[in-house]
Amino acid sequence: MENIIMYGAAILAVAVVIYMLIKKMDIKISLFLMGMVLIVVAVLMGKDIAVKEFVSTGSLWLDPLQVIVAQFKDTLMSAGFVILILGGYTAYMSSIGANDVTVEVLTKPISKVKSVYFLVPLVFLLGNLLSLVVPSASNLAIILLATLYPVLKRAGMSALSIAAVIATSATIVPTPLGSDNVAIAEELAKHAAFADLTVSQYVFNYHAIVSIPTLLFIALVHYLWQKYMDKRSNAKHQESDVEVQEVKALEGGKLFKTVYAILPVFPIILLLVAYAVQMATGTSISISVEVAALVSFVLAIVCELIRHKADKKVLADTEVFFKGMGGAIPIVALIVAASVFVTGLKSIGLIDALQETMQHTQGSGFGFILPLILVLFTALIVLLSGSGIALFFAMVPLMVPLAAVADISPLALSVPMGLAGNLFRAVSPVAAVVLIVAGTVKVEPLEIVKRTSVPMIAGVIFMFILSMIIFL
């Protein structure tokens, strides 16, 4: 009877969460609610709440809320604080115009390239590079449609090829500034095998060795697929009615543009330099993401003071940084909501049950089955909902326990699942980025998906095989 209640509660909770994802409802509330319900079910079953050193309120109905409080405190002291700092820095970079300078500096050389199809992989890789500065796929697409669309049109590229490249511009670039990478690194660091793992180490040691070859492979497939599709269509889409927003030319000299183009990516430069020094010399120099962002923030303030001749308004404008931190709270809340939901699943005994049922897979040579199931599950959710970020955050606390169940490295789960969610987004006809691009180019979303599906699916297959070779 206990197993029936456990599996029934778990299946119902997961079904509700999936329904909310597909219907594009606020997933945080769903995860919080289902997590609390599962915790109540666990207590009624006579089980303990699966939170380390949990102190009960003495009330069955208040304990789930106490779990939320405990998870918020724990998250804000670790991954949550990093995400808040990065949210503030990104907001400040946008406020002072540094992001616009970076985009202009990086996109300007594109106009000098004459070969139309050589531009396809080039723009794809450039777009991924720009996602370091503009992490939102939708916002990046809007910027690229405004800045690159006219340039690529003049070069003779078809509208659908341009649309496909722009729709896939924000995918899996390895960055220690990504909230998903911060979350998984923090989770892995809690366990002995990855003790003291930093987000920089996770990204540069594990993520990058899969994501960089995958990006290069996708760039090649993009080149071949767009060329093939253009020849097959035998006619280019008529773009006379395509409207793109005007972008103001940025004023300033070479020194200004050079410095301000570097500022948005300066935290990454600092982290890379520190990592390289540490690897080359064996010294204990280690810069955290928080410190790198704060150093860059101070440097940006100095640059602004010089630029505006010590105008006191510069210091007043730093308020944007702290408002940006507040703007990142929904991401932190999503991580906490996912943790509460997973706590509920653990409390009812689902993880222990999974461990027992999957024991036979250990050492049987089928270690790839669990990662494959999770990637396929991710594909289904992303295709139906247009986003996989909520699903990934919900799975982060389960990565290590599930990996232990299957007797494989947690990296064999975290890397493929994280990358798959970002790659499949451009294949979903309901994804915001696809809808924005389709609306601008004035075609149906499925026309865009025809152009993005082959490069992205090929990339997922390549990424999965490479991940299994490296991490299993």
Side-chain angles (χ1 to χ4, degrees):
M1 184 63 182
E2 185 176 287
N3 281 344
I4 294 174
I5 295 174
M6 177 187 68
Y7 284 117
I11 291 170
L12 181 61
V14 171
V16 170
V17 171
I18 291 174
Y19 176 80
M20 294 278 281
L21 275 169
I22 293 171
K23 291 296 182 180
K24 296 186 180 294
M25 299 180 190
D26 189 82
I27 191 62
K28 296 185 291 297
I29 297 302
S30 176
L31 289 170
F32 274 129
L33 179 62
M34 288 298 99
M36 290 166 61
V37 169
L38 289 172
I39 289 169
V40 170
V41 170
V43 173
L44 291 175
M45 291 170 67
K47 296 179 179 289
D48 294 329
I49 296 175
V51 174
K52 190 177 181 182
E53 299 177 358
F54 179 72
V55 179
S56 174
T57 63
S59 167
L60 163 66
W61 308 109
L62 292 179
D63 276 352
L65 296 174
Q66 182 65 16
V67 170
I68 293 176
V69 172
Q71 294 291 3
F72 257 113
K73 287 181 177 179
D74 184 55
T75 303
L76 284 170
M77 289 174 62
S78 53
F81 180 67
V82 181
I83 292 167
L84 293 182
I85 292 289
L86 293 176
Y89 189 69
T90 300
Y92 189 64
M93 287 297 99
S94 293
S95 173
I96 65 176
N99 283 349
D100 294 335
V101 177
T102 304
V103 171
E104 183 188 82
V105 168
L106 289 178
T107 56
K108 198 170 184 180
I110 291 293
S111 60
K112 298 178 181 178
V113 179
K114 302 302 180 185
S115 174
V116 174
Y117 290 106
F118 180 71
L119 281 170
V120 170
L122 192 63
V123 172
F124 169 74
L125 295 173
L126 174 63
N128 276 272
L129 188 62
L130 285 171
S131 68
L132 295 172
V133 180
V134 187
S136 165
S138 300
N139 290 343
L140 181 57
I142 292 169
I143 292 170
L144 293 180
L145 284 166
T147 56
L148 280 185
Y149 187 94
V151 174
L152 297 175
K153 277 302 301 120
R154 284 195 296 271
M157 190 181 296
S158 72
L160 286 175
S161 288
I162 300 172
V165 175
I166 290 178
T168 58
S169 55
T171 52
I172 55 172
V173 65
T175 171
L177 307 186
S179 58
D180 50 350
N181 293 330
V182 171
I184 192 62
E186 287 284 350
E187 188 63 32
L188 289 173
K190 296 177 184 176
H191 301 274
F194 297 94
D196 301 320
L197 179 75
T198 66
V199 64
S200 297
Q201 290 169 335
Y202 172 70
V203 170
F204 300 142
N205 288 357
Y206 307 118
H207 187 293
I209 60 177
V210 174
S211 56
I212 291 177
T214 301
L215 284 172
L216 295 174
F217 176 75
I218 293 174
L220 175 62
V221 177
H222 243 315
Y223 168 82
L224 297 172
W225 184 243
Q226 303 314 323
K227 194 172 183 178
Y228 168 76
M229 289 296 285
D230 279 347
K231 286 183 178 178
R232 198 176 100 170
S233 66
N234 202 26
K236 295 182 180 178
H237 178 66
Q238 297 300 314
E239 309 84 1
S240 57
D241 57 349
V242 173
E243 297 178 6
V244 293
Q245 69 180 72
E246 290 294 322
V247 176
K248 286 184 179 180
L250 296 169
E251 297 180 1
K254 286 186 178 180
L255 180 61
F256 160 72
K257 290 189 175 181
T258 301
V259 172
Y260 275 66
I262 291 172
L263 280 177
V265 293
F266 194 69
I268 298 175
I269 294 172
L270 274 179
L271 292 167
L272 281 169
V273 170
Y275 179 76
V277 170
Q278 192 175 16
M279 295 295 290
T281 64
T283 58
S284 58
I285 296 175
S286 179
I287 300 177
S288 67
V289 173
E290 307 96 290
V291 170
L294 289 175
V295 168
S296 303
F297 178 48
V298 172
L299 178 62
I301 294 173
V302 172
C303 291
E304 280 290 277
L305 285 170
I306 295 171
R307 178 188 175 194
H308 296 286
K309 299 177 182 178
D311 189 332
K312 63 181 182 180
K313 187 176 180 295
V314 169
L315 297 182
D317 289 344
T318 58
E319 182 71 14
V320 173
F321 179 91
F322 304 103
K323 288 181 178 178
M325 289 181 69
I329 276 289
I331 300 175
V332 177
L334 177 57
I335 295 174
V336 174
S339 298
V340 172
F341 181 68
V342 170
T343 297
L345 293 177
K346 287 181 179 178
S347 298
I348 63 174
L350 183 67
I351 303 304
D352 291 337
L354 281 174
Q355 188 166 4
E356 291 177 12
T357 57
M358 292 180 64
Q359 285 296 331
H360 67 277
T361 65
Q362 296 188 12
S364 64
F366 293 102
F368 70 91
I369 290 178
L370 181 58
L372 180 61
I373 290 172
L374 291 181
V375 166
L376 293 175
F377 183 53
T378 299
L380 177 64
I381 295 298
V382 175
L383 290 175
L384 292 174
S385 69
S387 174
I389 191 71
L391 175 66
F392 180 78
F393 279 126
M395 291 299 298
V396 164
L398 285 173
M399 294 292 185
V400 174
L402 284 176
V405 165
D407 196 25
I408 58 177
S409 168
L411 297 167
L413 298 182
S414 67
V415 173
M417 190 173 177
L419 300 188
N422 284 302
L423 290 173
F424 274 121
R425 178 177 53 225
V427 185
S428 170
V430 296
V433 64
V434 172
L435 294 173
I436 288 168
V437 173
T440 302
V441 183
K442 301 189 185 307
V443 297
E444 290 299 317
L446 284 177
E447 289 297 313
I448 306 296
V449 170
K450 288 178 185 177
R451 294 295 190 115
T452 60
S453 56
V454 170
M456 293 298 100
I457 292 172
V460 170
I461 295 170
F462 178 89
M463 171 277 297
F464 183 80
I465 293 172
L466 186 59
S467 297
M468 295 304 98
I469 291 172
I470 294 173
F471 300 128
L472 274 189

